[in-house]
Structure formats: C-alpha cells, structure tokens
Amino acid sequence: MSKLRFVNCLLISTAICFFLPSIAARGGHSDYIYPGDGNSSFHVTARNLFAQEETRPSLELTRGYMTNDDLEKAMKDFTKRCSKISRLYSIGKSVNGFPLWVIEISDRPGEIEAEPAFKYIGNVHGDEPVGRELLLRLANWICDNYNKDPLAQMIVENVHLHIMPSLNPDGFSIRKRNNANNVDLNRDFPDQFFSFNEDLSLRQPETMAVMTWLRDIRFTASATLHGGALVANFPWDGTEDKRKYYYACPDDETFRFLARIYSKSHRNMSLSKEFEEGITNGASWYPIYGGMQDWNYIHGGCFELTLEISDNKWPRASELPTIWDYNRKSMLNLVASLVKTGVHGRIFSLDQGKPLPGLVVVKGINYTVKAHQRYADYHRLLAPGQKYEGLMFFPHIQLKIRVIMFVSV
Ligand SMILES: *[C@@H]1O[C@H](CO)[C@@H](O)[C@H](O)[C@H]1NC(C)=O
Ligand SMILES: *[C@@H]1O[C@H](CO)[C@@H](O)[C@H](O)[C@H]1NC(C)=O
Ligand SMILES: *[C@@H]1O[C@H](CO)[C@@H](O)[C@H](O)[C@H]1NC(C)=O
Ligand SMILES: [Zn+2]
C-alpha cells in the first residue's frame, strides 16, 4: 500500500459575493416535444411541425450582428491579437461544413495542466444570436484586462476557458432554431430516462462534435447561452414520468449555488418576477428530453447550466453593449467559481511520486468526480459554508480513504 501525500489539497475559501443589485428558450413553450418512447419517426415529425410554426426575424432586425464569416474572422483576429493567452481550434463541422470554432484562453493554451477547465457554448439554437456576440466580447474583455483586473487574471492563470460562440452556424445563417437537418440540437443528446435518440447514425454532426470534445477535455463546469427568457436553469431538465415538477439532481445544492452566482452577479436577472432569485430547476419550469445540460453532468463529469440571457431573442444590435454590460460580471464570476469554491487537489504516492488518479465521492451525494488520469488533479465543486465527509477510492491499488473537507464561506 502506498503512502499518500496530499499536495495542494486546498480548502479553498469561497467569497463569491459580487452581488449587484416570455418564453421560448431551452426552450420554447411550443416545444413540448415528448420522446416517442423509442419511435424516432414520431420525434422527427414533431420537430418538423414545430419548425414550420417558427417566424423568422426580419433581415432588418439582424443588421449589426456578425455573420458566420464575420464571426470566424473575429475569432481568428482575436487569437492573433491575443496569441500569448489563446489559441483557436475546431471541434468538427456543421452539416453544411462550417467549422465549429473554439477559442481557448489560458496562460498555457493548448497544454494540459492540473487545472479545471470551463466551457461556454453559444448559439445552440440558430435563432438565439445574443450569446455568440457576448462570447466574443468576453474573450476580448479578458484579453484587454488580464493584466489589470484580478478576476480576469485569476481566470487566465488558473483555468482553461474554452469559448465556442456558435454550435449552430447553419441555423444562424437561415435565422432558424434547428440545424440544417432541421433537428433541435438541444434535444439530440442521449437521455437518461428515454432512449429515443440512441441511434448513432441519426445523431447530428454538431452533437457528435460536442460528445467527442468531452472525451478529449475534462471540463469541470460549463454553461450554454440561450435566448427567450432571463433565468439560470440547472438540472434535472426532465422527469421520469414526463410531468412538470422540481426534480433535484444529486448536486442540487451546488447547482443552486452556481446558478445564483450567475443571477446575482447579473444586473437584473435575480429581480425576476417569474423565477425566484432568477434561477430555476429545468423540470420545474418545463421538462425537456435529450438536452445537453443533463448529459454533461451525467456523462461528462461537467456541471452545466443553461443560461437564458435575454427575453428577446433578437434585440436590436444597438442593445448588445448593454446586454454585455448586464452579463459581464456573471460570466466572469461563474468561471472564477471553479477556483474560488469547492475542493481541489492532486494526489501522489510518496514512494515514487507517481500521480494517483482516484475517484472522489462526497458522503450523501450520489456522484463521482474523477481525478485526471495523468495529472491526478481533481476539482469537486460544492456549495460553500459546510463541512463534507468525502471518500477517495483508488481502485487500481485497492485503497479507500476517508477525508473531511471544509468549504468555507
Ligand atoms: C412509430 O410511429 C409510426 C408513425 O406514427 C407508426 O406507424 C409506428 O407503428 C410506430 N412504431 C412504434 C414501434 O411505435
Ligand atoms: C432587465 O432589464 C432589461 C433591459 O432593461 C429589461 O428588458 C428586462 O425586462 C429586465 N428584467 C427584469 C426581470 O428586471
Ligand atoms: C446513484 O446513481 C446511479 C446513477 O448514476 C444510480 O444507478 C444508483 O441507483 C444511485 N444510487 C442511489 C443509492 O441512489
Ligand atoms: Zn435556446
């Protein structure tokens, strides 16, 4: 049995308190597409029906938004301008062959480090373009400020931030929700309750690209940006019996904490009359199936929120600077929460200094966080102000240990 040395098993304090003072979103109330219990033809039909009812925004309204070519150029220009702290890569292509570009921001972009990674995805729905605009602003803001702003600096130095402004460039180019095959990408992931889209050959290239991405990069948390409401949504998104009620996932408390970071750092999300504190459990709002959020948490080990950032899906482009201003602190604070809260560490054996990639389980929470295979770093997000009892398993050396974790306020 190896002796263990806990390196950097930090009990990181949480001082997240940057508190500042409709609906067709995840989404869309017209979007009650229930899985056809294994009958995928039902599903495709339902998607098409919904798509036909869609009204497209006028061309006039889209003026001032970046086209796909503009966005691609802006991303390339960004990684040239900020080459020290960023790189550009693509995770695949859309149905029509447009690259799905990602900007990675870090002081060591492209390298694997013993640090948590966060991803932002925008424009999952082609007709929700605000997110893609804000994500480019976020990247530029971090580049302009990481030498002077402590939060930006913390992100660059301690997190690998991956930003994908558009998962659905094809939908965007025709100003429609679905992708070029008329599939809603936020209904195309494997579902925990209903096996209605298990057929790999029917899975969309955009969905496949995200699924492969999560095999390559170990993300600790993420958020997708949608439009049509103003609320921070967290798992579960669906219920086993398709009815609508609050359905808590094992990490409900942590998710509520993360969602609150977003809503309370936002200029007015938490003032919502519809959603208490500006946050909601997905299933209690309206259940969806095949969504990206729950899949990330279950299969990707990644705590994902679905953020609805604007009641109006296509606000006039002149309003974008204001919306960015409303969201900036939230976007930064959510990423920084990966460093400021939870329990993080690395585990090595004392005899040979070998990394020991264990499994971390917190008593009372049925969820396993895996340490990185090569670097043995683990990042276990937890709501602050509590003492947790944890277990670490090292299956390959048949060792189990008990640890007490404090996550202070
Ligand atoms: C699937 O739906 C089609 C069309 O509604 C129907 O004809 C077929 O019987 C269904 N198949 C199953 C297995 O339910
Ligand atoms: C938040 O501010 C926006 C822009 O001023 C406004 O349209 C929206 O109604 C506000 N929402 C809440 C909940 O205050
Ligand atoms: C824990 O979660 C798994 C799914 O991840 C489930 O199969 C199992 O039944 C759960 N265990 C308990 C005790 O709830
Ligand atoms: Zn959406």
Side-chain angles (χ1 to χ4, degrees):
M1 185 168 103
S2 306
K3 284 179 199 149
L4 300 179
R5 175 165 54 112
F6 289 90
V7 175
N8 184 20
C9 186
L10 296 179
L11 308 171
I12 292 181
S13 68
T14 313
I16 312 280
C17 44
F18 310 89
F19 295 3
L20 292 179
S22 64
I23 301 162
R26 271 180 319 154
H29 270 169
S30 42
D31 199 42
Y32 284 102
I33 299 171
Y34 290 134
D37 297 316
N39 191 335
S40 66
S41 68
F42 163 80
H43 202 67
V44 171
T45 310
R47 280 169 170 152
N48 291 341
L49 281 175
F50 174 57
Q52 281 157 16
E53 292 163 8
E54 221 174 355
T55 50
R56 287 204 253 171
S58 65
L59 265 180
E60 151 72 17
L61 206 51
T62 68
R63 198 176 299 147
Y65 282 85
M66 288 182 282
T67 65
N68 286 331
D69 289 338
D70 294 340
L71 176 62
E72 182 176 55
K73 182 169 184 308
M75 291 176 81
K76 288 181 174 166
D77 289 349
F78 172 84
T79 43
K80 256 187 230 138
R81 181 170 84 84
C82 306
S83 59
K84 257 199 183 147
I85 59 151
S86 71
R87 72 173 174 125
L88 183 69
Y89 68 100
S90 147
I91 60 162
K93 283 186 174 165
S94 68
V95 172
N96 290 339
F98 209 85
L100 303 170
W101 293 115
V102 179
I103 290 171
E104 178 185 354
I105 294 181
S106 155
D107 56 352
R108 291 169 182 264
E111 283 180 43
I112 299 173
E113 294 187 276
E115 289 180 0
F118 188 101
K119 68 176 153 60
Y120 271 121
I121 301 182
N123 201 205
V124 174
H125 292 136
D127 62 344
E128 295 166 14
V130 174
R132 55 191 251 150
E133 295 280 340
L134 296 202
L135 287 175
L136 241 281
R137 284 167 203 253
L138 174 68
N140 279 294
W141 193 89
I142 292 174
C143 179
D144 293 338
N145 290 282
Y146 78 101
N147 278 327
K148 36 190 187 222
D149 179 85
L151 213 49
Q153 186 182 356
M154 174 188 282
I155 289 169
V156 169
E157 288 177 359
N158 302 298
V159 179
H160 284 250
L161 172 59
H162 299 254
I163 295 176
M164 175 154 65
S166 179
L167 179 63
N168 188 2
D170 298 348
F172 175 82
S173 67
I174 49 169
R175 292 169 284 140
K176 290 182 80 167
R177 174 188 183 86
N178 294 348
N179 77 348
N181 288 333
N182 209 5
V183 171
D184 185 335
L185 298 176
N186 203 31
R187 304 292 184 278
D188 198 41
F189 285 80
D191 191 84
Q192 64 174 324
F193 301 126
F194 302 101
S195 55
F196 59 94
N197 52 17
E198 296 303 306
D199 189 344
L200 272 182
S201 64
L202 293 177
R203 182 111 50 231
Q204 298 305 303
E206 295 89 350
T207 316
M208 291 293 284
V210 170
M211 291 174 71
T212 313
W213 195 18
L214 265 86
R215 277 206 296 272
D216 294 344
I217 297 180
R218 189 257 327 243
F219 290 105
T220 297
S222 62
T224 53
L225 304 180
H226 289 254
L230 191 66
V231 66
N233 177 101
F234 54 89
W236 298 125
D237 258 349
T239 56
E240 272 161 286
D241 58 9
K242 301 180 187 174
R243 284 187 313 183
K244 176 180 129 151
Y245 49 86
Y246 195 116
Y247 199 35
C249 74
D251 277 294
D252 189 58
E253 219 188 322
T254 303
F255 272 109
R256 294 181 63 86
F257 169 71
L258 293 171
R260 267 194 220 109
I261 288 178
Y262 202 89
S263 75
K264 299 205 168 171
S265 308
H266 187 280
R267 183 72 60 87
N268 69 358
M269 190 180 274
S270 64
L271 306 178
S272 170
K273 296 210 169 63
E274 188 181 0
F275 303 102
E276 202 182 335
E277 298 184 287
I279 66 174
T280 189
N281 170 267
S284 78
W285 185 12
Y286 58 96
I288 68 161
Y289 298 92
M292 182 171 1
Q293 172 190 274
D294 290 1
W295 185 85
N296 264 268
Y297 176 60
I298 297 169
H299 298 280
C302 175
F303 285 50
E304 177 153 295
L305 300 178
T306 307
L307 303 170
E308 305 284 354
I309 53 169
S310 159
D311 286 325
N312 185 351
K313 288 189 179 190
W314 288 92
R316 301 225 163 250
S318 58
E319 289 175 39
L320 290 171
T322 306
I323 299 177
W324 159 239
D325 191 44
Y326 277 30
N327 283 277
R328 191 185 72 236
K329 272 218 164 70
S330 300
M331 294 174 93
L332 295 165
N333 283 343
L334 187 61
V335 180
S337 73
L338 293 200
V339 184
K340 290 184 171 187
T341 188
V343 182
H344 307 258
R346 296 178 73 181
I347 307 152
F348 302 92
S349 71
L350 198 53
D351 41 6
Q352 291 161 16
K354 265 202 329 211
L356 296 175
L359 307 174
V360 181
V361 178
V362 174
K363 200 170 165 188
I365 304 179
N366 183 15
Y367 191 78
T368 303
V369 168
K370 291 183 189 155
H372 192 274
Q373 274 302 317
R374 230 169 92 205
Y375 292 84
D377 59 316
Y378 62 88
H379 308 278
R380 208 316 168 188
L381 297 179
L382 285 166
Q386 292 182 42
K387 189 162 94 176
Y388 297 89
E389 186 177 332
L391 292 172
M392 291 187 186
F393 296 90
F394 303 91
H396 57 297
I397 50 171
Q398 307 248 309
L399 176 69
K400 230 187 240 189
I401 60 167
R402 182 169 159 257
V403 282
I404 306 293
M405 308 163 168
F406 296 95
V407 185
S408 56
V409 179

